Amino acid sequence: MKALKNICAISLLLGATAFTSCTDLTEEIHSSVIAENYYNNAGEVMAAMMRPWGHFCGTMQVAQSPWSCNELSSDGAAWPQKGRHGYDNGDWIRLHRHQWIPTDGQVVDAWKKLFEGIGYANNFLTDTENIDFEALQVPMSKAQAQAEMRVYRAYCYWYVMDMFGTAPICEKIGEINPSSKSRAELFAWIEKELNESIPSLSESKTETYGRVSKWGAYALLARLYLNAEIYTGQARWDDCIAACDELAKGGFALDKKWNDTFRADNDKRSTEIIWSIVYDEVYAKGMGWYQRWLHYAHQTGWDLQSGPWNGLVTQPTFYDSFADNDLRKVEGFLIGKQYPRKVDENGNYYYDTTAEPLKGSEEYNGQDLVFVNYIKSMTEGEENSGARSIKYEIQPGTTGDMNNDWVMFRYSEVIYNKAEALMRKNGGKATQEVVDMINSVRQRSFKAEDWEKAKYTTATLTMDEFLAEKGREFAFEGIRRTDLVRFNKFVTTSWWDKTASNEPKRNIFPIPQRQLDANANLSPNEANSSMVRVAVVYFAF
């Protein structure tokens, strides 16, 4: 059983004490547990520490708002309207076409969930300032526990900075109407939090699995430095390389198969995962990959205990960017006629092509369900539109909550980050060292007989090809928008149903209107430039 199998159950224990924000809330409390009466033993301290990690279960993975804003605004995944399904107030359409506004549900929810995470971290840090961990026999030092919370908070703030540019920095509970900080100020604060926390973090990969180790902090630091020029105007390539080199001391290794990292037992199987969100279909619910991607007919055809939504699809141009012999394409997508899936005597899955194909129930009611690599537009999809991702393994018989842990950082990204920094230091040209690094990741996606033609050389690994290959390797992992912005491709490039624009303000999302209304000291960002404040309404961050 997973080491943190009770993560979500434990997280409920402090619900009354964890409603923290940067604004003043007045509400009638019917039941409460105050900090002074709660932290009486090691179990209660650890329960409090688990609350932020439990919050991650419903915040960071597929189709949750931070993920949606970053992936569904990019060139890989989309959620088109399919007949009478999937319009959802036009949120998905505006995300894809870069037409979002400060009242869009996904934008509002992303800000809210990220600041809720920050609030939970602040709650723990404040509550434990005067707690004697040794006296309560807490199974970790106070310094480590607080360092983990600071890195957790820094991760939330990295997302805020990356998505919104400017925001307040809240380090204590009860700060009222804090002022906005610039992106450069946020960057400096996040960098400080990580560097000050790293010495107190554990180097153990097993002890901290599902939380954060020293290596997870280095992974976040490398990502921070990789994008430093976007955030501050100053490149930090050498610092990125140094963070990657420190992380390499952690003993991580590439998984042998491209998809071992995403299997249902990835917590036991993968040697590549640096930092993950723990999921379990009973104890830590919320991992719903298959629900978002699969068609309704897969429920009975694949013996699934909860119905899929037939929502997410792969953009046709992105699917076409994979070579036909790329195992990430062959094994990672559903395309064509759909059949029941079975399990053989060795526990391996197979598609029963001798059985009756799965059937459509909307535009192709009663007809064979055939996924096609064609979608007319974001408003004119059909039930069979687009290839569907099965990157995360889907077990037959699973409930709506899968066992796969969500991968936040993996060793492949560290290799890519260092390789890109080296290329940029070399004028955008790949050295043999860089080629060898990228090929070490790419090789497992091709059969041995195909590799000679598939491998990169210093001539073929251009910056554009590097970006394309990174998109394929990290498809739907929540970082594509960040990469496209860094390569100056996010706004200025057309793809599928999104046209290029000359509006750099679209590189970030507008600060939600309700937050601007609630806090007179909160400054609009560039993406809010055409918006006007309305009457003040108090609302929590």
Side-chain angles (χ1 to χ4, degrees):
M1 188 60 66
K2 297 178 186 292
L4 296 180
K5 68 179 183 178
N6 292 320
I7 190 169
C8 287
I10 291 173
S11 71
L12 297 175
L13 294 177
L14 291 188
T17 64
F19 290 121
T20 59
S21 69
C22 299
T23 57
D24 187 24
L25 293 177
T26 301
E27 58 184 85
E28 182 181 359
I29 299 176
H30 298 280
S31 178
S32 66
V33 180
I34 62 174
E36 290 80 0
N37 296 334
Y38 182 77
Y39 297 95
N40 297 312
N41 54 59
E44 290 177 348
V45 174
M46 293 304 295
M49 190 172 181
M50 291 302 102
R51 181 61 187 96
W53 302 111
H55 175 68
F56 261 10
C57 286
T59 298
M60 293 301 175
Q61 54 96 5
V62 63
Q64 299 304 317
S65 48
W67 184 94
S68 295
C69 287
N70 286 283
E71 285 292 342
L72 301 186
S73 63
S74 300
D75 59 356
W79 195 318
Q81 182 179 356
K82 304 179 190 73
R84 60 195 176 95
H85 300 289
Y87 178 68
D88 295 339
N89 298 315
D91 276 10
W92 314 121
I93 297 168
R94 288 190 296 276
L95 267 180
H96 179 81
R97 293 177 176 172
H98 291 196
Q99 297 170 343
W100 47 77
I101 55 177
T103 55
D104 275 350
Q106 296 303 307
V107 174
V108 170
D109 198 48
W111 178 283
K112 176 177 179 289
K113 285 181 174 177
L114 291 168
F115 270 98
E116 282 178 354
I118 292 164
Y120 287 130
N122 285 342
N123 191 91
F124 178 82
L125 290 168
T126 300
D127 283 356
T128 57
E129 281 180 353
N130 300 315
I131 299 295
D132 188 336
F133 276 48
E134 289 188 8
L136 295 179
Q137 298 183 317
V138 178
M140 71 171 65
S141 70
K142 182 175 180 177
Q144 179 185 336
Q146 293 195 328
E148 288 189 23
M149 278 300 101
R150 291 175 71 183
V151 175
Y152 171 98
R153 182 176 63 182
Y155 180 79
C156 292
Y157 260 115
W158 171 78
Y159 250 118
V160 170
M161 176 186 65
D162 185 72
M163 292 178 63
F164 298 100
T166 63
I169 294 176
C170 303
E171 298 183 87
K172 299 289 183 181
I173 297 170
E175 295 182 56
I176 307 301
N177 294 338
S179 300
S180 294
K181 301 297 182 182
S182 69
R183 217 175 198 185
E185 289 174 307
L186 288 170
F187 178 96
W189 182 85
I190 295 168
E191 180 185 23
K192 174 186 70 69
E193 288 292 294
L194 293 174
N195 283 325
E196 289 181 359
S197 299
I198 283 172
S200 299
L201 294 170
S202 172
E203 295 185 0
S204 171
K205 293 180 288 187
T206 55
E207 172 191 304
T208 60
Y209 186 85
R211 302 199 318 268
V212 62
S213 65
K214 178 178 292 187
W215 316 117
Y218 274 125
L220 178 55
L221 196 61
R223 188 185 287 180
L224 182 75
Y225 288 139
L226 184 68
N227 294 283
E229 192 168 18
I230 296 297
Y231 302 146
T232 70
Q234 179 182 355
R236 301 281 294 273
W237 309 125
D238 286 334
D239 289 325
C240 176
I241 292 167
C244 292
D245 287 343
E246 286 296 323
L247 199 153
K249 299 174 184 178
F252 297 93
L254 292 173
D255 287 327
K256 292 182 179 180
K257 295 182 179 179
W258 76 270
N259 56 355
D260 279 350
T261 320
F262 310 101
R263 299 287 292 273
D265 59 350
N266 57 357
D267 60 319
K268 302 178 183 68
R269 177 189 297 267
S270 179
T271 60
E272 187 169 327
I273 296 174
I274 298 170
W275 188 357
S276 67
I277 302 173
V278 171
Y279 284 99
D280 184 278
E281 65 177 338
V282 176
Y283 296 101
K285 297 184 177 184
M287 176 50 167
W289 186 269
Y290 87 75
Q291 288 182 314
R292 277 70 169 181
W293 288 95
L294 298 189
H295 186 275
Y296 318 118
H298 285 105
Q299 180 174 7
T300 55
W302 286 24
D303 190 28
L304 304 172
Q305 301 305 301
S306 181
W309 302 351
N310 196 35
L312 291 169
V313 304
T314 308
Q315 295 177 38
T317 48
F318 182 67
Y319 181 76
D320 285 338
S321 74
F322 291 81
D324 287 340
N325 60 354
D326 189 327
L327 296 178
R328 295 169 300 189
K329 182 178 187 178
V330 175
E331 300 171 350
F333 293 95
L334 297 176
I335 195 73
K337 191 172 293 188
Q338 298 301 295
Y339 289 94
R341 193 169 67 157
K342 306 293 184 181
V343 183
D344 65 20
E345 62 275 9
N346 297 316
N348 299 314
Y349 310 132
Y350 69 97
Y351 300 105
D352 187 359
T353 56
T354 65
E356 184 75 9
L358 305 184
K359 303 298 181 182
S361 56
E362 300 290 331
E363 295 89 357
Y364 301 96
N365 186 31
Q367 301 179 43
D368 292 350
L369 179 62
V370 182
F371 287 150
V372 297
N373 188 37
Y374 172 77
I375 317 167
K376 188 174 182 180
S377 73
M378 279 295 294
T379 59
E380 298 172 286
E382 295 182 318
E383 65 175 313
N384 66 341
S385 293
R388 310 302 173 88
S389 173
I390 50 172
K391 184 172 188 172
Y392 277 89
E393 179 185 30
I394 301 167
Q395 295 177 297
T398 191
T399 67
D401 300 290
M402 298 163 60
N403 286 309
N404 322 56
D405 292 343
W406 181 259
V407 181
M408 294 166 60
F409 290 95
R410 56 186 175 109
Y411 191 54
S412 299
E413 183 184 342
V414 179
I415 294 173
Y416 267 80
N417 290 349
K418 181 176 179 178
E420 183 182 336
L422 290 169
M423 280 186 76
R424 290 188 182 276
K425 287 189 65 178
N426 194 42
K429 295 182 180 180
T431 63
Q432 190 59 50
E433 178 187 11
V434 167
V435 168
D436 291 344
M437 292 169 71
I438 300 306
N439 278 340
S440 70
V441 180
R442 179 175 167 84
Q443 185 169 6
R444 60 190 178 178
S445 298
F446 293 86
K447 294 180 179 178
E449 58 268 28
D450 296 329
W451 177 237
E452 192 61 31
K453 291 183 178 179
K455 68 182 182 181
Y456 287 121
T457 67
T458 55
T460 59
L461 189 58
T462 63
M463 288 298 287
D464 282 346
E465 180 57 28
F466 181 100
L467 177 63
E469 176 62 8
K470 189 173 185 185
R472 291 185 286 264
E473 176 62 28
F474 296 92
F476 319 132
E477 293 186 42
I479 60 174
R480 185 58 173 169
R481 174 191 147 273
T482 305
D483 289 339
L484 290 168
V485 170
R486 189 174 63 257
F487 278 76
N488 194 30
K489 302 284 188 182
F490 185 65
V491 170
T492 60
T493 306
S494 298
W495 53 74
W496 184 46
D497 196 20
K498 177 258 181 186
T499 57
S501 103
N502 59 357
E503 293 185 288
K505 69 180 183 179
R506 294 293 174 180
N507 279 319
I508 57 176
F509 297 98
I511 295 173
Q513 188 64 44
R514 62 180 64 182
Q515 308 304 335
L516 294 173
D517 296 340
N519 180 358
N521 295 323
L522 188 61
S523 302
N525 64 23
E526 185 181 0
N528 291 102
S529 60
S530 61
M531 298 297 163
V532 179
R533 285 184 180 272
V534 295
V536 172
V537 177
Y538 288 100
F539 191 86
F541 280 107

